[in-house]
Structures are given as structure tokens and as C-alpha cells.
């Protein structure tokens, strides 16, 4: 979760709205740990009254969405789940976004930065000012088509096929919220425009493998201690069962390794346990 003024944003799972796990880098940037094929919404929460209405625009992986949100200044506890908006036959709904493995191309390059594996979501916040007031008739059958979001091709260094599984981007998902009726009516329509810019918020996201490659996640200190500093102790063993996994080596070969995943071990559980003889 990151916050600027009265607005907080975080990524949540599409169906149960549970937030994803987050990590904070040394410079204070927030990285969200996600997995491909999981659908999500951007949760935007206005937590307090503001001096002006807020005008919010959205960017997904540097692609600007074609709609904005207006948060009235007097609201002090409003949460919205932002996806790809569509209005059809008098009802408005949001389609979820989805984490995907984007297409990649291998090329010789010496300037590759592992942080290119990471996707980003940004909101730009401005004061909302009245641009025009006009008579308006809302057609019950008027359609507003949702924007298509497709991941762009990511260029990775030649002879590095293992990076294909470490880069994540966003696309349109399948889950859709229940339509909210938009009744046919005539009246006065107030059109807001962006005024003075106030600031921006950015969340970066990737799978655990990509965050490790980018240096955001570090190998656990206890793991380095067990592997490099502590000699093998015949009376103890690791308190986690290894998972067999195939990895792609830089020379193009594939080999099986034992993966010791400590992420599901409850806090306070000893890393070592006595061997049973």
C-alpha cells in the first residue's frame, strides 16, 4: 500500500479483494509479489476530506487508461476497485485485470537492467475543476466500450531463456463486477477537468523469481548462514520439505533442483529440527 495525501492504493485479488504481499525496497518503493494468471483490481481508498475534488488518471505498464475518477472533496471513507470500465445498456461494470507472462524476444544487449522484469501501476492526482456545464440526456442504450490492455513485448538478453518466467505484465481478465444501473435521465451534466497537479502514486509488481532477479527480494540470511557459515550438523535437518523443480541454466540446459520454500513456514517456527533416528 502506498499513500499520497488522502489517497491510498494497493493491488487486491479480483474475487475476494484480499491484498497481495508487498515488499519495500531500500529507497522506499513498494513492490507487490504476484503470480501469472491471477486476476486483480486496483483498490483506491480516499481516507479523509480534502480541500478540493480529486481528478485521478491511471496508467498500467505505461499505458494510460481512457477514463478518470472524480473523488468528491467531502467524502472521507470511500474505496473503489478499478479495472477496465464498460457501460452497456444502462449498466456500468468493471472487468478485472490479469497478471500474465508477456511475449519476449532475445537480443544481444549489454544494458539490460533486471528491473525491466517488473511491471508498474501509476495514478496521477490533480485538483478537479469544473470545465463545462451543459444540458445532458443520458441514453439508456449508450455504450462505452472497455479499453483493451495488451502486454508489450519485452526484450531480454540473448541466451537467457530463464528470464521469460521472471517477467510479468498486465492484460484484461475475465472476472467482471455486477453491473450498476445507470438510469436514463435528462439534466445538467458537470464536466470536470484536471487542474493543478498534486502528486502521483506508483506500485511495482512482479513474481517472486523476478523480484529476486531484480534484487528486491534477498536470499534469507538464515539460508546463507546454513549454506555458507554453519558446518553440516548430523543431528539436525531443515524444518521444511524440499520441492523438486526444473530450472533453465544459462547454457540452455535444464536440470532438477531441490527448492526449499520457507514462505509457508509459520512465524516463530524453528528453521532446524532434530533428526529422527
Amino acid at each position: 500500500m502506498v499513500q499520497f495525501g488522502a489517497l491510498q492504493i494497493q493491488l487486491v485479488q479480483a474475487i475476494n479483494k484480499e491484498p497481495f504481499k508487498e515488499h519495500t525496497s531500500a529507497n522506499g518503493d513498494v513492490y507487490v509479489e504476484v503470480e501469472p494468471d491471477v486476476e486483480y483490481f486496483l483498490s483506491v481508498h480516499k481516507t479523509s476530506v480534502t480541500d478540493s475534488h480529486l481528478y485521478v488518471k491511471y496508467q498500467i505498464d505505461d499505458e494510460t487508461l481512457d477514463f478518470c475518477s472524480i473523488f468528491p472533496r467531502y467524502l472521507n471513507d470511500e474505496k473503489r476497485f478499478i479495472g477496465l470500465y464498460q457501460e452497456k445498456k444502462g449498466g456500468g461494470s468493471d472487468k478485472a485485470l490479469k497478471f500474465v507472462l508477456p511475449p519476449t524476444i532475445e537480443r544481444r544487449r549489454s544494458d539490460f537492467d533486471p528491473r525491466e522484469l517488473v511491471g508498474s501501476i501509476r495514478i496521477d492526482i490533480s485538483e478537479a475543476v469544473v470545465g463545462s456545464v451543459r444540458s445532458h440526456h443520458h441514453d439508456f442504450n449508450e455504450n462505452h466500450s472497455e479499453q483493451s490492455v495488451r502486454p508489450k513485448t519485452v526484450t531480454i538478453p540473448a541466451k537467457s531463456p530463464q528470464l521469460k518466467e521472471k517477467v510479468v505484465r498486465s492484460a484484461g481478465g475475465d472476472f467482471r463486477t455486477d453491473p450498476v444501473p445507470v438510469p436514463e435521465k435528462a439534466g445538467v451534466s458537470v464536466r470536470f477537468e484536471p487542474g493543478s497537479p498534486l502528486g502521483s502514486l506508483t506500485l511495482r509488481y512482479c513474481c517472486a523469481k523476478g523480484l529476486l532477479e531484480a534484487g528486491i527480494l534477498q536470499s534469507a540470511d538464515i539460508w546463507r548462514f546454513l549454506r555458507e557459515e554453519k558446518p553440516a550438523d548430523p543431528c539436525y535437518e531443515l524444518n521444511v520439505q524440499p520441492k523438486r523443480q526444473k530450472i533453465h541454466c544459462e547454457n540452455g540446459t535444464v536440470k532438477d533442483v531441490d527448492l526449499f520454500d520457507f514462505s509457508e513456514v509459520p512465524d516463530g517456527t524453528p528453521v532446524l529440527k532434530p533428526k529422527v533416528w
Side-chain angles (χ1 to χ4, degrees), residues 87-240:
E87 189 174 306
K88 186 176 182 180
K89 294 183 179 180
S93 64
D94 279 279
K95 181 179 179 181
L97 292 152
K98 183 178 182 179
F99 300 117
V100 298
L101 297 175
T104 57
I105 184 171
E106 295 184 37
R107 289 180 178 170
R108 291 185 177 274
R109 53 178 303 189
S110 59
D111 60 342
F112 178 73
D113 186 339
R115 286 174 294 183
E116 295 176 33
L117 302 172
V118 177
S120 67
I121 295 175
R122 168 177 168 149
I123 71 169
D124 292 305
I125 310 163
S126 304
E127 293 182 352
V129 298
V130 176
S132 61
V133 180
R134 60 183 178 180
S135 297
H136 172 72
H137 176 78
H138 190 99
D139 185 353
F140 186 82
N141 293 311
E142 180 182 357
N143 289 347
H144 175 83
S145 298
E146 66 195 17
Q147 183 175 1
S148 176
V149 173
R150 295 185 178 88
K152 298 178 181 177
T153 300
V154 178
T155 303
I156 60 176
K159 299 182 180 180
S160 301
Q162 74 279 5
L163 294 179
K164 294 180 180 180
E165 300 177 355
K166 299 179 181 181
V167 57
V168 179
R169 292 294 186 269
S170 290
D174 297 313
F175 178 82
R176 187 183 296 280
T177 59
D178 294 332
V180 176
V182 181
E184 181 178 4
K185 62 181 181 180
V188 175
S189 173
V190 179
R191 183 180 181 86
F192 286 96
E193 296 179 353
S196 300
L198 299 175
S200 63
L201 290 171
T202 300
L203 284 171
R204 297 167 176 83
Y205 65 88
C206 201
C207 61
K209 293 179 181 179
L211 294 177
L212 280 166
E213 187 76 26
I216 306 305
L217 290 180
Q218 303 294 330
S219 299
D221 290 338
I222 186 64
W223 181 245
R224 287 197 299 270
F225 172 76
L226 289 172
R227 293 188 60 185
E228 301 170 8
E229 300 178 19
K230 182 178 177 61
D233 189 331
C235 297
Y236 288 86
E237 61 184 351
L238 290 173
N239 195 16
V240 63

Side-chain angles (χ1 to χ4, degrees), residues 2-9 44-46 50 52-59 68-71 122-128 193-202:
V2 291
Q3 181 161 355
F4 178 86
L7 290 187
Q8 292 178 346
I9 64 171
V44 184
H45 186 195
K46 187 171 184 286
T50 50
S52 64
H53 302 320
L54 301 181
Y55 183 103
V56 179
K57 286 289 289 181
Y58 305 94
Q59 285 187 0
C68 69
S69 296
I70 305 297
F71 288 84
R122 168 177 168 149
I123 71 169
D124 292 305
I125 310 163
S126 304
E127 293 182 352
E193 296 179 353
S196 300
L198 299 175
S200 63
L201 290 171
T202 300

